[in-house]
Structure formats: structure tokens, C-alpha cells
Amino acid sequence: MANKEIPYKIYLEESEMPKEWYNVRADMKKKPAPLLDPATGKPMTVEALSRVFCEELSRQELNDTDAWIPIPGEIRDFYKMYRPAPLVRAYCLEKKLGTPAHIYYKFEGNNTSGSHKLNSAIAQAYYAKQQGLTGVTTETGAGQWGTALSMACSYFGLDCKVFMVKSSYELKPFRREVMRTYGADVTPSPSTTTAIGRQILAEFPGTSGSLGCAISEAVEAATSREGYRYVLGSVLSQVMLHQSVIGLETNAALDKYGIKADIIIGCAGGGSNLGGLIAPFVGEQLRGEAKYQFIAVEPKSCPSLTRGKYVYDYCDTGRICPLAKMYTLGSGFIPAATHAGGLRYHGMSSTLSELYDQGIMEARSVKQTEVFEAAEYFARIEGILPAPESAHAIRVAMDEAIKCRETGEEKTIVFGLTGTGYFDMMSYEKFHDGKMTDYTPTDEEIEAGLSKIPNIG
Amino acid sequence: MANKEIPYKIYLEESEMPKEWYNVRADMKKKPAPLLDPATGKPMTVEALSRVFCEELSRQELNDTDAWIPIPGEIRDFYKMYRPAPLVRAYCLEKKLGTPAHIYYKFEGNNTSGSHKLNSAIAQAYYAKQQGLTGVTTETGAGQWGTALSMACSYFGLDCKVFMVKSSYELKPFRREVMRTYGADVTPSPSTTTAIGRQILAEFPGTSGSLGCAISEAVEAATSREGYRYVLGSVLSQVMLHQSVIGLETNAALDKYGIKADIIIGCAGGGSNLGGLIAPFVGEQLRGEAKYQFIAVEPKSCPSLTRGKYVYDYCDTGRICPLAKMYTLGSGFIPAATHAGGLRYHGMSSTLSELYDQGIMEARSVKQTEVFEAAEYFARIEGILPAPESAHAIRVAMDEAIKCRETGEEKTIVFGLTGTGYFDMMSYEKFHDGKMTDYTPTDEEIEAGLSKIPNIG
């Protein structure tokens, strides 16, 4: 319980901002399984990873022993431009729901990328610059990661090539223009500019694309160019490491007011925002210092945790990236073109997968119409217009708060509000016009994806 | 000079937020000229004003004696959801420009309306609710005011009818959808739903509309309906009063770190953001406590201060609103369809007009291409993607900082960054494609507008 009056928004002082990222893998007794080299089937080395990723990021990717990694000064300075993010007490939502629960959300949308993605983008661009690279390539789904990387590359003077999932490219024409404002080059994926893109287009003509396809194209574009490396906005352990800044700030803000969270909720696509949010709390629990309920929320249309298998699989549709052990629907699974492009990924972060497998984290899947209902309700009460991805967490946070109303429990619910929906208005329009439908894959469709997973590791 | 290290962003504590608005008219020896009733040519009374506006707002409109007006608790609670707005030290911009100047900006874009407009919208909706009204009508240019009012009306359960300037309606399709998310009804103006709209369409077929037209339609829609009043997002003294929260927070943030501003800059359309920003500083100067340089920045395409006349004129194209003494281009002047819809108004706040006339405030006009150059430069350096309106202030702040580089002066420059440009990407696209042109009215065009001003007052 709180010791002093809690303001609507808790901002840390600049001096209270994290100086190190937290690497939860160091505190896990059973570690996430290692990445495997698709050529040899053996664990990836820093050297092999460095052909695709920046060297220092490759080291971070494989580091499961150091709990604390210093945040370089230049990155901390950049963080100061848009962080700390506020931890908001949802007083109005609590009142409207008539719940005894206390609801808090960590709001990551107060920057031009509109999301938490900038936390890792600036780190990855920094290490690329340090390595003396010319530029980086990447994929983007909802467009938030692409925008974030464009901003980060512009800041450090790096070239930035973005492959944007075609369905998002078409739904979000203005996203491309924001990236262009920051000097990036944006291509809809699958495209004819890469061999793998041409192959996917031949196999699935008229496909609206997926994160898996776009990743394959971006990796090919990076590895076939001198002075380029590939960077990824989610799934990887390095990304979750950078995103730990979310959880560390949240933890510090709660501590400042003597608040103890009971439930911590986040949406999960590749898993980096949720992983970053819960990391320090999971660490406390692993060290026996506290106990929490962690809930991952995924769309029913792409249910990797709730309906996938925990096995080694390719991270990309083109099968050129390392293999990861994760909850997966199969790298060949192409999810329906729903309105939460950032959650349309067939797999889940290996760290979150392991935490889920150990029963430390739960998972729920939700329908997109009920997500948009929650999004609009929240916008009208709390003012912030959420991204469809973020609204998955809002949905479950509201559900939990309503449960508390029924049981009378005064639980403290914390959720991650990862970003804003200003570029998602076509989706909101469909919802307002009653034209939004729900899509849940049939058992046959799920089985078809799972059956194509290689038998490795 | 600063006493302690200045963070990138200064946030006030909730307890330090203003509890009263500041009414600068009370400290002006020569007051702004009173509003006149168009029917009688005599000063407006609260009673007469109340036929169009809410009663309490009418009282605020005519109050030029009370310097401090308490902010009701419900409005202060709403402010706490998205305020305090940060006062940002533009360290990166200073470094990039190589200037000895210290640059600060008050950023009002961290809310879903994307601008400062919410500060007055919530106040106006509150007083409408207190009066027991069913709903309100209004106009919107760039769409920020309409969005803000939609949010405020949704919060208090009021009906909200918005007339949106047709050029903006077409340039910003997603703005309508945001307003719809908050339950508002949006009509492009001029429209056939009002008598004045039909008249304007008959006189100027194919017109892209203007704030002046949209105001006329909204007033007609309010006064021809039971339980409705008209609300306005700028120009009026009541709006400038509510917007004083910007200046009061800025002043408190500067004080907290012992910083003394030398130059204070804002963009000026109707004048409310600039008026709100500078009000407490003007007050200090009027009371002889400090001296500042105040600069209003307007577009060359709509230069009311720099090329208008200081006379009584109609506030709206339809000539049904009260007459105000102000710098004006004539209520018949319809500015070119430029990309800063929020600055396309023929007149200027009577308070700012009087301050300009007394030589307390300066004015500059700038070309839109040089504004977009500044906008993109700023976005890349400071991260925030500004609204075209706000970028007018950025342009002049950068110009002043560059002057300091040349003279070596360590001036402290404060400017108002009123909002974000996420819904202006079509304008940015034109700029990127080299298709943006500048428009400066000829002397004949200015003269044509001025010649139609009535000879009153």
C-alpha cells in the first residue's frame, strides 16, 4: 500500500533513470535454450552471429551470465530526450469501472516513433555506429519499429533500409512519410528487390506479407551489402535487454511511492516490450524477493504461446536466420491481416517462452473486436488513444479490474501501454463502421503450420 | 543563469501546477477594446454574449479586472491526466546549431488532441456541463481544436458538433476518425447544413473554406438549437485565459532552476497559445518586474499582424459574431490553402493586438517552405515531429539562436511547441517531393480584404 499521495503520473528524476540494463537470463536457473546455427545445428558463436548482427549486439545476444550491462552515455543522453516515461495511475478508469483495484500503466508513447521501440533502436544504432558501419537494414510490422530505427539512424548519421510488411504499408500510408522525414528508405515486403522476396511472391502470390517474410528480406539485404548489418526490433534477447529500461523505470517509480504490484500485464508479439517490462520483477521473483502474476496477451489470430509448440524453429519465413527454441506456430504460418500488425509474428522470445514453460508467466489470447472495444473505452476515459497492439494489454487489465470489482480484492494491476494509435485510424474506422471481424485459425490451420517445423535441437 | 544542473526536461510536481489562471488584461493599463454588438454597435453585455456562449465563459470574456481566476477542481483533475507539459532544454539543437544561446521549448503535444487546445476545451466543456447544456458546436482548422473538444465533451458526456475547414478535412482524413472515436459529429465547411454555409458556397463555389466560414456555420448551428452553445478554440480572451496555464507552468519551471528568459516566441493564428505562453511574462513586464522580447510568428500567407489594420472587424466571414478591435486582414479575406490550417485566420486576439500596438510584442512573418525546413531539421535533432503551425515558432527560434552564434550572445530563448504533426504527413510528403510552394498575397489582394472592413467603433 502507498505511503504518500500518489499523483496521476509518476515521473522519475533524470538522476533516478537506469544506468544499466538488466539481463534476466543471468538470474534464471534454467536458461533459455541457445540459438542454433542453421548450417551446423550447433550453438551460434559471437563470430557467426556477427556476420548478420553488430558485434557488440551479438555478444549481448549470447550473454546469459551478466545481470547488469552498463548503458553507454550517448544512449543515456538520447534516452533523456524522451524518457523517463510516465507511470500513470488510471484514476479515471478505476472510477468508471467501479473497481477497488489500483490500475497503473507505463506509457511508452510519448515520442515520435509512438512506442517503446525507440529504447532498443537507439541502442542498436549506437553499436552499429561504434563498429563503423555504413548502415543497417530491418523489417517493420505496424511501422513503429521502422520509425524508431529511422529516428535512431538519423541521430547517428547511419543509412537505414526498412522492409515494411505489405499489409501495414497499405493500411498506414503516413508511416512511410514519417520514416522518410528521418531519411529512411522504405520497401513494402515481400518485394522483388531480394531473392527470398521473389521466392515468397512466387509461392504466395498476392500475400499481404508477415514479419517473418520481411525479416528474411532484411537479412538478405544486409548480408549482401558491404558495411551493413541487420537489426531486429523484437524477439531477440538483446532487444529484451534494452527494453528492460521500461521495467526498471516502472520498478523505481513504484518503489518511490511504496507500491507493490500484484499483476503485471503486457501485449506479446515477439515479446520484447513485455519481456522488458517484467524483467526486473521476474528477477525479484527468481531471487525469492517477491511474488507476482505475469500475463502475456496475444491475439487469437496469432496465438503462439496459447496454441504453439515449444520447439526449435526458424525465426524467419525464409529460414536464413538462426534457429531459436521458442513457442512457435511454425515459420510458415502467415497470420491473417488483422489490425495489430506488430503482433503478427509466428514465434515468441526464447526467454519469455522459457518463463512460460516454467509456469512463471501466464498467457491469454483475445479477439480483436473486444480489443478495439477496450481501446475506445480507454481512450474516452483516460484520454490516450492506444495502438491496437497496446490495447491487448488494456483489454486484460480491464478484465482483471472487473474481476476485482466482483471479488472485492484491492489488487494492484500494472500494464504496459506500449504506444499510440494515431497511425491506426483506418482500423478504428473499420471498428466504428461495424466492419471489423474476428479471426481464429482452425485446428487444421494451426496443425499445418506446426507440421512444417523442422525436427532439430 | 542557472543555479543547478538543468535536466533535458523539467516537469513540475503535481502540487506545483497552477491553481488559478492568469488574466493579463487586469494588469494592462490600456485595456483591449471591448467587443461590440453587431446589431447596436454598443459594447457587448454578459447577457447578450450568453445567447451564443456559455454564461460563465461570457463573464470571463468580459472580465478585464480580476488578474487571477480559480481553476475548478474538476478541470484541475483533468489537467493532471496530461499535464504538466514538460519544459524541454533543446541541448541537441543547441549543439547542432553551434550556438551559445540556451533554447527551451514548452511541449504541449503529449496528449491525444496533439496540442495545447485541450487546455481550453476541457474548461469550456466543463462550464457548458455546469450550465446544464445538451451540447456545443464549434469549428476546427487543423483539426486539433475539434479533437480536443471531442475529448472534453466525451469526458463530460456532452454532444459535440464540429465544422471542419474543408481544406483540412480533405488533407487530414484520419482526424475525423479520431473525433469519431470520441463520439463527435464532423461536417466539412462550408456545408449545405446551414444558411450561411449555403450562402458562402453560392458566392465562392469550390472554396476550400476558412476558419472564418466555419465559425459562422458553428454559431448558426448553436443558436438555432435548444440547449446548445457555441465554443471557440482561439481568438477570444477566455481562451487566452485558459491557455495561461502554459505560461504559468513555463514560468514556474524556469523559476525552479533560476533561469531568466530573454526571448519568448510563439506561432500566432488566433493568438491563444502565444497569448497563454507569454501572459505571465507580460504581466511581470507590465508590473516593472522584468523585461522580455516577445515575438509572434505568423505565415506570410495570412499576415494579420504584419500587414493587417488595427480596427474593429467581424470575427467571422458570416458577420454574425460580435465585432472585435484587432489586427485584421478583413473578415472577407480567405487565405490560400497552405499547410498550417490552424494559422489561417484573418484576425488576431484583441489582447495580443493591443500588446502589439503598444510595442510590447513584435511580429514576424515566415514562408512555409522555410518553416518545413525548420520542422524537418528539428525532428531529426530533437526527435519530436512538429505540427506545421508549431514549426513557425521553431523557425524563428532557430533564426534567433543563429544570430546568437554570430554575435556570441548567450541569450535564453523560450518557444512554444504547441503540437505534433502526425496528422500532417501529406504536407510533409509535399515538402519531401519538392512540391510545396510559398504564397504571399499581393498588395492588391491585401487591399481588397481591408477595403471590406466595416467602418465601426
Side-chain angles (χ1 to χ4, degrees), chain A residues 41-293:
Chain A
K42 298 223 170 102
M44 290 296 290
T45 59
V46 169
E47 197 197 348
L49 266 185
S50 299
R51 287 194 286 271
V52 175
F53 299 106
C54 302
E55 274 170 40
E56 186 57 34
L57 293 166
S58 299
R59 271 189 285 275
Q60 291 180 357
E61 190 62 33
L62 301 186
N63 183 345
D64 60 9
T65 49
D66 297 320
W68 297 97
I69 312 283
I71 308 176
E74 284 184 69
I75 299 175
R76 287 173 52 208
D77 280 347
F78 189 89
Y79 279 171
K80 288 177 198 164
M81 283 213 287
Y82 71 99
R83 306 196 69 80
L87 181 70
V88 186
R89 173 77 182 265
Y91 280 116
C92 295
L93 182 64
E94 292 172 15
K95 195 174 159 194
K96 189 83 177 179
L97 290 174
T99 178
H102 292 193
I103 309 173
Y104 294 85
Y105 55 93
K106 180 70 169 173
F107 181 48
E108 292 285 327
N110 276 347
N111 70 75
T112 298
S113 81
S115 81
H116 66 290
K117 295 287 184 184
L118 200 49
N119 302 331
S120 184
I122 194 63
Q124 297 195 44
Y126 169 81
Y127 292 117
K129 186 71 182 178
Q130 287 294 105
Q131 198 178 321
L133 296 177
T134 307
V136 293
T137 71
T138 198
E139 79 299 327
T140 195
Q144 294 175 328
W145 167 247
T147 309
L149 191 69
S150 303
M151 293 173 70
C153 285
S154 165
Y155 187 76
F156 284 123
L158 286 166
D159 187 33
C160 180
K161 294 191 188 306
V162 180
F163 290 86
M164 186 169 187
V165 177
K166 196 184 270 174
S167 59
S168 290
Y169 188 89
E170 286 163 0
L171 270 171
K172 302 181 175 188
F174 296 163
R175 273 284 186 201
R176 185 205 56 211
E177 216 45 48
V178 179
M179 293 187 239
R180 213 171 153 205
T181 300
Y182 288 93
D185 170 53
V186 189
T187 307
S189 167
S191 77
T192 55
T193 67
T194 64
I196 188 70
R198 290 187 292 270
Q199 188 186 316
I200 292 168
L201 283 170
E203 199 175 342
F204 306 97
T207 175
S208 55
S210 71
L211 277 176
C213 300
I215 291 172
S216 299
E217 289 206 85
V219 172
E220 182 184 324
T223 51
S224 59
R225 263 188 190 79
E226 194 66 39
Y228 281 77
R229 288 295 184 283
Y230 167 68
V231 298
L232 178 62
S234 189
V235 186
L236 296 176
S237 300
Q238 59 186 268
V239 181
M240 185 169 154
L241 173 71
H242 307 146
Q243 295 297 357
S244 70
V245 71
I246 303 174
L248 292 165
E249 280 187 9
T250 302
N251 209 347
L254 291 171
D255 274 357
K256 204 165 166 173
Y257 286 86
I259 306 158
K260 162 69 177 66
D262 295 304
I263 311 177
I264 306 178
I265 300 165
C267 63
S272 69
N273 97 75
L274 174 62
L277 172 64
I278 68 176
F281 301 94
V282 169
E284 287 179 3
Q285 184 158 322
L286 292 172
R287 297 188 303 268
E289 298 161 11
K291 185 92 183 76
Y292 301 98
Q293 183 182 7

Side-chain angles (χ1 to χ4, degrees), chain B residues 155-173:
Chain B
Y155 187 77
F156 284 122
L158 286 166
D159 186 35
C160 181
K161 294 192 189 304
V162 180
F163 290 86
M164 186 169 187
V165 177
K166 195 183 269 174
S167 59
S168 289
Y169 188 89
E170 286 165 1
L171 270 171
K172 302 183 175 186

Side-chain angles (χ1 to χ4, degrees), chain B residues 2-21:
Chain B
N3 302 325
K4 44 186 168 175
E5 200 183 333
I6 297 161
Y8 279 65
K9 288 177 295 172
I10 305 175
Y11 281 106
L12 299 180
E13 300 286 326
E14 217 169 65
S15 58
E16 297 169 319
M17 286 171 66
K19 293 174 185 62
E20 298 167 306
W21 291 302

Side-chain angles (χ1 to χ4, degrees), chain A residues 263-266 274 293-297 361-364 396 400:
Chain A
I263 311 177
I264 306 178
I265 300 165
L274 174 62
Q293 183 182 7
F294 302 108
I295 308 176
V297 190
M361 182 183 83
E362 303 167 31
R364 306 232 180 116
V396 171
E400 290 296 318

